[in-house]
Amino acid sequence: MSLLTDSPVWQSLQDHYQTIKDQHLREMFSADPSRFDKFSIKLNDILFDYSKHRITDETMNQLCELARSTNVEDWIQRMFQGEKINHTENRAVLHVALRNMSEQVIKVDNKNVMPEVHAVREQMRALSEAVRTRQWRGFTGQPITDVVNIGVGGSDLGPVMATEGLKPYAIHDLGIHFVSNVDENHIWDTLEPLKPETTLFIIVSKSFTTQDTLVNANTARDWFLKTAEDESVLARHFVAVTDNVSAATGFGIGEKNIFRMWDWVGGRYSLWSAVGLSTAIAVGMDHFEEMLQGAHEMDEHFRTAPLEKNIPVVMALLGIWYNNFFNTQTYAVLPYDQHLRYLPAYLRQADMESNGKSRDRYGEQVDYSTGPVIFGQLGITGQHAFYQLMHQGTKLIPADIIAPVTSHHCIREHHRILMSNVFAQTEAFMKGKTEDEARAELKAEGLSGEDLENMLPYKFFPGNKPTSTILFKTLTPKTLGSIIAMYEHKIFVQGIIWNINSYDQWGVELGKQLAKNILPELEGDVEISNHDSSTNGLINYYKGLRPKRDG
Ligand code: G6Q
């Protein structure tokens, strides 16, 4: 047994689970009319309602005790103080410094990082304003009409999500595009309608060694030079965001056009840095800084609120309650705001790459389940697709339902209809439909006798499906910043309790290494035989069928 599963509080939670597991949320709500007041937290315009979870006061007391016994409060301070808590890479974890809007000094290796952070923010402001005001001109003197962000993973998903999230704040005659896939269809489809004279590329790669990004960047460069025919004008069309300045200058990007990031920013936590440059260009630096402000306010809440009233901590504890005691395997993220459509994909990386670990901080194999499978989609789309399994399937899937009180537009009754679905789904997940209710409905529909009895088993829903509902006024830059920071900190707290390092990602290395070995084997026609029979068979099938031009 590990220290965690052997601990008295863990054992006690296991016993407590036995008393809760058969209780229905319906009964819990009837027994305690104050559940909503008790189990909801407000921060600015964000309401976090967790009353529809299979918890009691005792559950929350014990879960908070778990957080205390695993020193969560201490770890929070360690992160904010720039301690090298990413121990396998010997790095601090300081995305909070990127959105530190206070005067507070944040140090890494005894050096205050804030002056550099501010300098890069100013550099972002200058570039984004020059592009937005049409002062940044391409090599023919025409203004930039399209910006293409080339990056992958953490250098792509954040800006994709935030640019879409803040679409109502964007200027509409500027195209913002994202190329991440090494599949040439992605860059082909993106560049086909664009003109080199009016396109600005942002090459985003913390390492500047990521194959996918470098291949796409080289293709973009070729595409551009085919028209421009002059490398000296590259500076007007290519900028880079990286921690590897020499590699970026080697690519041909002048130092003035390089935006620094730092090794204390993890890729999937980097959207607050110059990695968010495409978003800043789209919505303007003032709005980008409002997003930072929203994140900062969540950081302050996380750093200072008591565990019981701390939104990210409570979210983390609820996740652990299901993951480790109810043995759920998944967690759904269901936004009801069209502009949050990329949030599930963003959180899938943030959560699964961070907490998809099975060795603890001492290098020992864990004997408990860690990060869940995160999935999701716009809730309204999901309702017509996979919610069936959530309502009546055999799996228990806790979910977050996220919705704005008002939309940016006001067209007919759209938003009210949307919100009626939000409330209906959280209620349906919780209450289900009892056998008696289903029977009464079938009777009202005119069924009786054997016909009614035959239909009855299919018509009732067990309910008792837990959800959190996160409501906010409107999806402003500030609210978006707060929501993302809230999830980042939830992930952090879970990592601390599971005693894993949420900030490395060694598991993604193996595939990259093997791909490097396989790439030369794809040249020529020689049959490959040094792998297992499946891999050999697949490679040889590919080599046999591919058109000659690829050889
Ligand atoms: C994120 C991961 C990963 C990374 C990409 C891109 O935390 O480390 O998704 O962001 O592999 O890396 P580069 O920015 O170095 O190209």
Side-chain angles (χ1 to χ4, degrees):
M1 270 189 155
S2 60
L3 278 177
L4 181 64
T5 52
D6 202 24
S7 66
V9 60
W10 192 271
Q11 302 280 327
S12 166
L13 274 161
Q14 261 169 348
D15 294 342
H16 178 63
Y17 164 71
Q18 294 303 326
T19 68
I20 292 281
K21 70 179 179 16
D22 297 322
Q23 286 187 40
H24 201 289
L25 277 164
R26 276 184 187 237
E27 295 150 20
M28 293 182 177
F29 271 96
S30 320
D32 183 358
S34 66
R35 260 187 95 79
F36 173 76
D37 294 332
K38 200 187 291 175
F39 296 134
S40 58
I41 306 174
K42 287 196 193 107
L43 179 67
N44 299 330
D45 67 335
I46 299 175
L47 167 70
F48 172 60
D49 168 27
Y50 62 104
S51 58
K52 290 195 183 83
H53 279 284
R54 293 168 68 171
I55 52 166
T56 60
D57 291 327
E58 180 57 22
T59 322
M60 291 316 295
N61 288 341
Q62 292 203 22
L63 286 170
C64 286
E65 192 43 43
L66 176 68
R68 263 181 212 104
S69 69
T70 46
N71 300 320
V72 164
E73 288 153 306
D74 187 36
W75 278 96
I76 294 174
Q77 304 312 327
R78 290 169 73 178
M79 173 171 72
F80 277 84
Q81 282 161 8
E83 213 177 285
K84 296 194 173 170
I85 60 172
N86 175 359
H87 71 291
T88 60
E89 295 181 312
N90 194 29
R91 289 175 181 166
V93 175
L94 271 184
H95 39 282
V96 293
L98 300 169
R99 65 243 187 167
N100 174 18
M101 305 305 268
S102 72
E103 298 299 313
Q104 206 184 325
V105 167
I106 299 186
K107 288 186 180 173
V108 175
D109 289 330
N110 259 331
K111 183 181 162 213
N112 181 9
V113 297
M114 290 316 299
E116 278 189 76
V117 170
H118 291 145
V120 174
R121 261 190 231 154
E122 283 319 304
Q123 201 189 352
M124 288 173 72
R125 179 174 288 280
L127 178 94
S128 56
E129 276 179 12
V131 174
R132 286 166 64 81
T133 56
R134 306 296 192 248
Q135 283 165 28
W136 184 288
R137 301 280 163 150
F139 72 98
T140 59
Q142 295 179 67
I144 296 300
T145 56
D146 291 276
V147 175
V148 181
N149 185 96
I150 296 182
V152 70
S155 296
D156 169 71
L157 289 161
V160 167
M161 179 273 299
T163 304
E164 179 65 17
L166 301 181
K167 202 172 185 173
Y169 299 85
I171 41 174
H172 294 293
D173 53 353
L174 193 63
I176 309 284
H177 314 267
F178 295 89
V179 173
S180 55
N181 198 339
V182 74
D183 176 351
E184 59 225 309
N185 288 311
H186 201 178
I187 195 154
W188 177 280
D189 292 351
T190 307
L191 296 187
E192 210 190 4
L194 305 188
K195 292 200 298 186
E197 298 85 341
T198 56
T199 301
L200 175 70
F201 291 95
I202 310 176
I203 314 299
V204 185
S205 179
K206 180 176 157 184
S207 60
F208 227 84
T209 58
T210 304
Q211 191 184 40
D212 323 43
T213 300
L214 294 185
V215 170
N216 277 322
N218 279 309
T219 298
R221 197 172 182 273
D222 292 349
W223 176 83
F224 172 76
L225 287 175
K226 207 170 153 199
T227 305
E229 293 176 341
D230 177 4
E231 293 205 2
S232 71
V233 297
L234 274 174
R236 299 202 204 172
H237 293 266
F238 283 80
V239 303
V241 180
T242 190
D243 187 26
N244 186 351
V245 175
S246 59
T249 48
F251 178 86
I253 297 179
E255 281 204 31
K256 265 176 44 194
N257 284 356
I258 295 176
F259 294 72
R260 274 301 302 277
M261 59 186 295
W262 305 272
D263 73 351
W264 41 263
V265 185
R268 55 192 172 274
Y269 295 90
S270 66
L271 100 96
W272 321 99
S273 70
V275 168
L277 185 58
S278 50
T279 308
I281 294 174
V283 304
M285 199 58 195
D286 286 346
H287 287 131
F288 189 83
E289 288 188 348
E290 279 174 32
M291 183 176 80
L292 301 184
Q293 177 65 30
H296 176 63
E297 286 178 20
M298 183 56 75
D299 294 343
E300 286 305 286
H301 164 78
F302 179 57
R303 202 170 61 80
T304 58
L307 297 180
E308 291 76 4
K309 291 282 162 213
N310 193 314
I311 301 176
V313 171
V314 172
M315 286 178 92
L317 294 173
L318 293 167
I320 286 182
W321 180 229
Y322 296 111
N323 190 69
N324 295 97
F325 298 93
F326 284 78
N327 287 322
T328 56
Q329 300 293 318
T330 50
Y331 203 103
V333 179
L334 308 170
Y336 278 76
D337 186 313
Q338 179 67 19
H339 294 132
L340 286 180
R341 68 193 162 123
Y342 297 127
L343 181 69
Y346 173 78
L347 292 178
R348 210 158 52 213
Q349 176 187 31
D351 206 309
M352 292 170 71
E353 205 166 59
S354 297
N355 285 341
K357 313 283 162 67
S358 54
R359 294 275 172 187
D360 68 15
R361 285 182 164 272
Y362 311 118
E364 300 292 331
Q365 181 69 30
V366 298
D367 63 353
Y368 41 85
S369 171
T370 59
V373 175
I374 302 288
F375 78 103
Q377 197 178 5
L378 285 175
I380 208 80
T381 319
Q383 284 177 212
H384 298 272
F386 58 84
Y387 275 33
Q388 166 61 33
L389 185 148
M390 297 175 71
H391 281 296
Q392 284 192 310
T394 54
K395 295 176 173 58
L396 182 66
I397 304 179
D400 287 351
I401 291 184
I402 308 161
V405 170
T406 58
S407 161
H408 282 284
H409 312 287
C410 189
I411 312 172
R412 294 172 53 100
E413 63 276 47
H414 283 258
H415 198 67
R416 202 168 295 173
I417 294 174
L418 180 84
M419 292 308 291
S420 68
N421 279 277
V422 168
F423 302 131
Q425 287 298 332
T426 65
E427 193 173 30
F429 280 129
M430 185 273 277
K431 282 173 74 177
K433 191 186 285 177
T434 65
E435 193 170 340
D436 287 348
E437 286 166 347
R439 188 184 294 280
E441 265 182 25
L442 288 171
K443 269 194 193 150
E445 286 167 22
L447 258 73
S448 61
E450 210 179 313
D451 288 347
L452 185 148
E453 294 306 324
N454 285 343
M455 276 312 290
L456 189 60
Y458 304 105
K459 288 288 191 166
F460 65 88
F461 291 46
N464 219 13
K465 314 285 189 197
T467 55
S468 295
T469 307
I470 297 153
L471 297 184
F472 48 88
K473 188 153 179 277
T474 319
L475 191 60
T476 60
K478 195 167 156 215
T479 307
L480 181 67
S482 295
I483 291 175
I484 304 305
M486 170 182 86
Y487 276 104
E488 288 178 344
H489 295 321
K490 177 213 95 153
I491 293 165
F492 168 77
V493 172
Q494 292 186 331
I496 295 307
I497 294 177
W498 288 323
N499 193 28
I500 54 179
N501 180 2
S502 302
Y503 301 103
D504 60 11
Q505 55 282 316
W506 301 109
V508 300
E509 294 301 321
L510 176 61
K512 284 191 201 170
Q513 282 166 6
L514 295 186
K516 263 199 192 122
N517 297 340
I518 289 174
L519 186 59
E521 295 175 359
L522 302 186
E523 277 167 29
D525 295 328
V526 181
E527 196 168 298
I528 298 302
S529 59
N530 54 321
H531 300 270
D532 59 89
S533 66
S534 165
T535 310
N536 287 337
L538 292 167
I539 293 175
N540 291 326
Y541 182 79
Y542 158 78
K543 291 179 82 163
L545 267 190
R546 69 170 162 198
K548 280 283 171 251
R549 70 171 174 87
D550 279 351

Short mmCIF file of all heavy atoms in Angstrom, two decimals, residues 152-155 204-210 213 261 266-269 349 353 505 512, ligand 1:
data_model
loop_
_atom_site.label_atom_id
_atom_site.label_comp_id
_atom_site.label_asym_id
_atom_site.label_seq_id
_atom_site.Cartn_x
_atom_site.Cartn_y
_atom_site.Cartn_z
N VAL A 152 2.14 23.39 -32.27
CA VAL A 152 1.37 22.15 -32.01
C VAL A 152 1.27 21.94 -30.50
O VAL A 152 2.07 22.47 -29.74
CB VAL A 152 2.04 20.94 -32.74
CG1 VAL A 152 3.37 20.55 -32.11
CG2 VAL A 152 1.11 19.74 -32.82
N GLY A 153 0.27 21.17 -30.08
CA GLY A 153 0.09 20.86 -28.65
C GLY A 153 -0.10 22.15 -27.86
O GLY A 153 -0.95 22.98 -28.19
N GLY A 154 0.73 22.34 -26.85
CA GLY A 154 0.62 23.52 -26.01
C GLY A 154 0.88 24.82 -26.77
O GLY A 154 0.50 25.89 -26.31
N SER A 155 1.51 24.73 -27.92
CA SER A 155 1.78 25.94 -28.71
C SER A 155 0.66 26.19 -29.73
O SER A 155 0.84 26.98 -30.66
CB SER A 155 3.13 25.80 -29.42
OG SER A 155 4.16 25.72 -28.45
N VAL A 204 5.44 29.20 -33.38
CA VAL A 204 5.42 29.07 -31.92
C VAL A 204 5.97 27.71 -31.52
O VAL A 204 5.38 26.67 -31.81
CB VAL A 204 3.98 29.22 -31.37
CG1 VAL A 204 4.00 29.21 -29.85
CG2 VAL A 204 3.34 30.50 -31.87
N SER A 205 7.13 27.72 -30.92
CA SER A 205 7.70 26.47 -30.44
C SER A 205 8.66 26.79 -29.31
O SER A 205 9.70 27.42 -29.53
CB SER A 205 8.45 25.74 -31.57
OG SER A 205 9.02 24.56 -31.06
N LYS A 206 8.29 26.35 -28.13
CA LYS A 206 9.15 26.62 -26.98
C LYS A 206 10.54 26.05 -27.24
O LYS A 206 11.55 26.71 -27.01
CB LYS A 206 8.51 25.99 -25.74
CG LYS A 206 9.27 26.17 -24.47
CD LYS A 206 8.49 25.58 -23.31
CE LYS A 206 9.39 25.24 -22.16
NZ LYS A 206 8.68 24.59 -21.07
N SER A 207 10.59 24.83 -27.75
CA SER A 207 11.88 24.18 -27.95
C SER A 207 12.52 24.55 -29.29
O SER A 207 13.72 24.44 -29.47
CB SER A 207 11.69 22.66 -27.90
OG SER A 207 10.80 22.28 -28.93
N PHE A 208 11.72 24.94 -30.24
CA PHE A 208 12.11 25.14 -31.64
C PHE A 208 12.79 23.89 -32.21
O PHE A 208 13.68 23.97 -33.06
CB PHE A 208 13.00 26.38 -31.83
CG PHE A 208 12.53 27.22 -33.00
CD1 PHE A 208 11.52 28.14 -32.85
CD2 PHE A 208 13.07 27.03 -34.28
CE1 PHE A 208 11.06 28.89 -33.94
CE2 PHE A 208 12.63 27.77 -35.36
CZ PHE A 208 11.62 28.71 -35.19
N THR A 209 12.39 22.73 -31.72
CA THR A 209 12.92 21.48 -32.27
C THR A 209 11.77 20.55 -32.66
O THR A 209 12.02 19.44 -33.14
CB THR A 209 13.79 20.73 -31.23
OG1 THR A 209 12.98 20.49 -30.08
CG2 THR A 209 15.03 21.50 -30.84
N THR A 210 10.53 20.97 -32.44
CA THR A 210 9.41 20.06 -32.70
C THR A 210 9.24 19.85 -34.20
O THR A 210 9.03 20.80 -34.96
CB THR A 210 8.12 20.65 -32.08
OG1 THR A 210 8.37 20.87 -30.69
CG2 THR A 210 6.94 19.72 -32.24
N THR A 213 6.17 21.23 -36.20
CA THR A 213 6.16 22.68 -36.35
C THR A 213 7.23 23.14 -37.33
O THR A 213 6.99 24.00 -38.17
CB THR A 213 6.37 23.34 -34.96
OG1 THR A 213 5.29 22.90 -34.13
CG2 THR A 213 6.40 24.84 -35.04
N MET A 261 9.93 32.94 -24.43
CA MET A 261 9.25 32.30 -23.32
C MET A 261 10.32 31.60 -22.49
O MET A 261 11.50 31.66 -22.85
CB MET A 261 8.12 31.38 -23.78
CG MET A 261 8.50 30.27 -24.70
SD MET A 261 7.07 29.38 -25.28
CE MET A 261 6.42 28.65 -23.79
N GLY A 266 5.26 25.65 -18.72
CA GLY A 266 4.98 24.41 -19.43
C GLY A 266 4.17 24.72 -20.68
O GLY A 266 3.33 25.63 -20.67
N GLY A 267 4.38 23.97 -21.75
CA GLY A 267 3.68 24.21 -23.02
C GLY A 267 2.18 24.34 -22.83
O GLY A 267 1.54 25.30 -23.31
N ARG A 268 1.57 23.39 -22.12
CA ARG A 268 0.11 23.40 -21.98
C ARG A 268 -0.39 24.45 -21.00
O ARG A 268 -1.59 24.57 -20.78
CB ARG A 268 -0.39 22.00 -21.61
CG ARG A 268 0.23 21.40 -20.37
CD ARG A 268 -0.11 19.91 -20.25
NE ARG A 268 0.64 19.29 -19.16
CZ ARG A 268 1.86 18.79 -19.25
NH1 ARG A 268 2.52 18.87 -20.40
NH2 ARG A 268 2.44 18.22 -18.22
N TYR A 269 0.55 25.18 -20.40
CA TYR A 269 0.18 26.27 -19.48
C TYR A 269 0.65 27.62 -20.04
O TYR A 269 0.77 28.59 -19.30
CB TYR A 269 0.80 26.04 -18.10
CG TYR A 269 0.25 24.79 -17.43
CD1 TYR A 269 0.84 23.55 -17.62
CD2 TYR A 269 -0.92 24.84 -16.67
CE1 TYR A 269 0.31 22.40 -17.05
CE2 TYR A 269 -1.46 23.71 -16.10
CZ TYR A 269 -0.84 22.49 -16.30
OH TYR A 269 -1.38 21.36 -15.73
N GLN A 349 -6.01 18.14 -23.16
CA GLN A 349 -4.54 18.15 -23.06
C GLN A 349 -4.09 18.58 -21.66
O GLN A 349 -3.25 17.90 -21.04
CB GLN A 349 -3.88 19.08 -24.07
CG GLN A 349 -2.36 19.09 -23.82
CD GLN A 349 -1.55 20.08 -24.61
OE1 GLN A 349 -2.03 21.15 -24.95
NE2 GLN A 349 -0.32 19.72 -24.90
N GLU A 353 -2.46 15.31 -20.09
CA GLU A 353 -1.01 15.29 -20.20
C GLU A 353 -0.39 15.58 -18.82
O GLU A 353 0.71 15.14 -18.52
CB GLU A 353 -0.53 16.32 -21.24
CG GLU A 353 0.82 15.97 -21.83
CD GLU A 353 1.17 16.76 -23.07
OE1 GLU A 353 1.21 18.00 -23.00
OE2 GLU A 353 1.40 16.14 -24.11
N GLN A 505 6.08 15.27 -19.08
CA GLN A 505 5.29 14.52 -20.06
C GLN A 505 6.18 13.51 -20.79
O GLN A 505 6.25 13.49 -22.00
CB GLN A 505 4.57 15.44 -21.07
CG GLN A 505 5.43 16.45 -21.84
CD GLN A 505 5.80 17.65 -21.04
OE1 GLN A 505 4.98 18.22 -20.34
NE2 GLN A 505 7.08 18.03 -21.10
N LYS A 512 7.77 9.75 -30.43
CA LYS A 512 8.64 10.66 -31.20
C LYS A 512 9.95 9.98 -31.57
O LYS A 512 10.43 10.06 -32.69
CB LYS A 512 8.97 11.90 -30.35
CG LYS A 512 7.86 12.90 -30.22
CD LYS A 512 8.45 14.17 -29.60
CE LYS A 512 7.39 15.03 -28.96
NZ LYS A 512 7.94 16.11 -28.16
C1 G6Q B 1 2.75 20.64 -23.50
C2 G6Q B 1 3.55 19.68 -24.20
C3 G6Q B 1 3.43 19.72 -25.70
C4 G6Q B 1 4.20 20.85 -26.36
C5 G6Q B 1 4.28 20.58 -27.86
C6 G6Q B 1 4.96 21.68 -28.61
O1 G6Q B 1 2.80 20.83 -22.31
O2 G6Q B 1 4.84 19.75 -23.77
O3 G6Q B 1 2.09 19.75 -26.13
O4 G6Q B 1 3.58 22.07 -26.11
O5 G6Q B 1 4.95 19.36 -28.07
O6 G6Q B 1 6.24 21.88 -28.12
P1 G6Q B 1 7.10 23.09 -28.61
O7 G6Q B 1 6.40 24.33 -28.20
O8 G6Q B 1 8.44 22.93 -27.97
O9 G6Q B 1 7.18 23.01 -30.12
#
